[in-house]
Amino acid sequence: MASSKEQYRLEQEAFVSNHGGTTPQEVIFTLLPNVCGILLTTTTLGVLRKYTHKNVKVVIEFVLIVIPTILCCTILSEHIGTVCIVMISISALNIMLLGSKGTYLSNSDMRPVTGKRPFVTNFRALTNIITAICILAVDFRVFPRKFAKTEVFGYSLMDTGVGLFILANALVAPEARDFCIYRQAGFQETLMKNIKNCFRGCVPLLVLGFGRFMAVEYTGYQKHVTEYGIHWNFFLTLAVVKLFTSMITSTISSKYSLFSGAWILGMHEYIMSTKGLKTWVLRDGPRIDFFSANREGLVSVPGYVGLYFIGVAVGRLIHSTYQNSHTKLNMNISVKLYGLEFEASYNESMLLCIKLSLISAQACIATLLCDSYSKVSRRLANAGYCMWILTLTTTLLTLLLLVEVVLDITNYAASESCNENKTKKLSKNLRLNLKKNFESDRKENEECVVKRSLEICDAVNYNGLFFFLLSNIVTGLVNTSIYTLYAKQLVAVVILIIYMAISIFSTLILYRLQIPVKL
């Protein structure tokens, strides 16, 4: 036991420092239960759709998505494969139950869904959830040290947090949906509009950033200096990245986002390698002024700006793929081989799934090349790190989209099976001419399909920054209330579950009341 709070603070800072991370394969493997949880939850709710109240459904979502993620980051970190197999097996059983009364389907029967993309919603929500879990779990001994942030180079679960946040925001940015060939306004008007919008978005982030710094200094809370620096933090990085991207998009069209991002990352890597910035950031030098005190946060900004523009390019690919889905339901391909003709049908989701998997493979190759040349470093946000985050993001998006394709087929099977019952009841209602029964049949028909977006995911996306801020506040309260380093495994897991329940259900209440918290 520490003899004083100061000694305990030093012990805790040492506990989260000087780690080398793990392999990139293990990081991806650790995130797989999130994808399996989405599939398991949606299919389970589909099976139980007629027997569960909306509050019970939310509890099921929490139990099947959040709790497995907590367990796989802590006491089940060495048994993730088993957890995934169990989840997939139960999901397969659910799908069999949903399709047992349905008709035979081919992939040409699938119908694209317009509006928001559920797999993007799920990705953004899971990014928030896994980050919220890790920022508190890292203070307990039950959290494996291989998942903690790396000190210099390497891969780890917690290293992915800020990068995934940047890409998650870029995927749904206005630039990702802007397909206008010509600017609708002049340069000066566009610049002023972007600055005005940027000011609205940056001021709350700057306030949160300075507020966090003041709170840490006032309470003597432990801090990992080599994460961002002495004064810098996550909120300030988001604010500055938002400022630079708004200025750049005023001069360069969003259709050049990929080239802009690649050029910025290339110049960032070149300057760090030739001007001595890499050595300056990574050495254990004195932090005597603002720039040296916050060298990690300042030097990493160009890398995150480049990553943001690459994320915009991925977002444009996603949105453009579905742009004409209301008129082009499915596509056919015919191949002749050795006198035999093969025909296959595919829709936009399948096509996008192939595109994202190809991008993931290309980003993986780029990551390996960068790693062999200059290594992957979160502190620098170098090209290797950005390519690693792009690989991870596109891999998760591909898997989540694959889940969506499976649910498309399941949805159609479930709707077909209950359409027969609806037709019989509808003819009966016509004879009885009961308007009330018409309404009940309409509601029943709406419930015949498996919902692909989960309420917890929608709620977290609705007030994402509030959810993350609340998680930070509760994390601080837990760390100032108990000595997390000395907590037993079971106690730590229970605390993490209660902590996530508070954060998620508080956000869910605001979502149901439709109260947006604009931070």
Side-chain angles (χ1 to χ4, degrees), residues 2-166:
S3 59
S4 65
K5 287 187 177 181
E6 179 61 21
Q7 182 182 343
Y8 175 75
R9 184 182 67 82
L10 295 175
E11 185 179 345
Q12 196 169 34
E13 287 179 358
F15 182 65
V16 298
S17 304
N18 301 314
H19 298 294
T22 183
T23 62
Q25 296 89 340
E26 189 165 12
V27 173
I28 296 177
F29 198 54
T30 306
L31 294 175
L32 284 183
N34 295 279
V35 180
C36 297
I38 294 291
L39 178 61
L40 176 60
T41 306
T42 49
T43 55
T44 300
L45 291 178
V47 171
L48 302 176
R49 63 185 178 272
K50 295 181 180 179
Y51 311 105
T52 51
H53 187 268
K54 65 176 183 178
N55 293 333
V56 178
K57 290 180 180 179
V58 171
V59 174
I60 293 175
E61 292 179 15
F62 183 84
V63 170
L64 297 182
I65 296 178
V66 180
I67 292 182
T69 304
I70 294 174
L71 296 178
C72 288
C73 289
T74 53
I75 57 177
L76 296 182
S77 59
E78 301 298 327
H79 306 281
I80 295 176
T82 303
V83 174
C84 290
I85 291 174
V86 171
M87 284 182 157
I88 293 174
S89 300
I90 299 176
S91 300
L93 179 61
N94 289 337
I95 291 173
M96 291 174 61
L97 292 174
L98 286 168
S100 60
K101 296 181 180 180
T103 56
Y104 174 75
L105 295 174
S106 64
N107 55 10
S108 61
D109 293 315
M110 289 172 46
R111 297 167 296 180
V113 176
T114 58
K116 293 193 302 182
R117 305 259 52 90
F119 75 100
V120 176
T121 299
N122 293 336
F123 169 75
R124 286 166 50 80
L126 292 178
T127 297
N128 276 279
I129 290 172
I130 189 66
T131 304
I133 291 172
C134 288
I135 60 175
L136 178 57
V138 71
D139 296 320
F140 293 95
R141 294 191 183 276
V142 72
F143 188 79
R145 293 301 94 189
K146 62 184 178 181
F147 293 157
K149 290 187 176 181
T150 56
E151 194 66 23
V152 183
F153 299 110
Y155 306 85
S156 81
L157 180 61
M158 290 199 69
D159 278 351
T160 63
V162 61
L164 289 178
F165 260 95
I166 295 292

Side-chain angles (χ1 to χ4, degrees), residues 183 185-199 243-251:
R183 290 189 180 274
F187 166 72
Q188 187 174 0
E189 185 178 348
T190 302
L191 179 62
M192 294 304 297
K193 179 182 178 181
N194 285 355
I195 291 177
K196 183 179 179 180
N197 293 335
C198 177
F199 181 78
L243 174 63
F244 278 105
T245 53
S246 296
M247 295 174 62
I248 294 173
T249 52
S250 300
T251 58

Side-chain angles (χ1 to χ4, degrees), residues 282-340:
L282 299 179
R283 71 182 180 183
D284 294 327
R287 299 176 182 268
I288 55 178
D289 53 31
F290 178 80
F291 293 99
S292 62
N294 303 285
R295 49 183 179 261
E296 291 87 357
L298 294 170
V299 171
S300 64
V301 166
Y304 291 127
V305 171
L307 180 62
Y308 178 89
F309 280 107
I310 292 178
V312 169
V314 175
R316 287 176 62 85
L317 173 68
I318 294 173
H319 297 303
S320 63
T321 301
Y322 290 101
Q323 200 172 22
N324 298 320
S325 62
H326 61 284
T327 58
K328 196 175 185 180
L329 295 181
N330 58 71
M331 295 152 279
N332 299 317
I333 184 172
S334 179
V335 178
K336 290 185 177 181
L337 184 63
Y338 297 109
L340 300 175

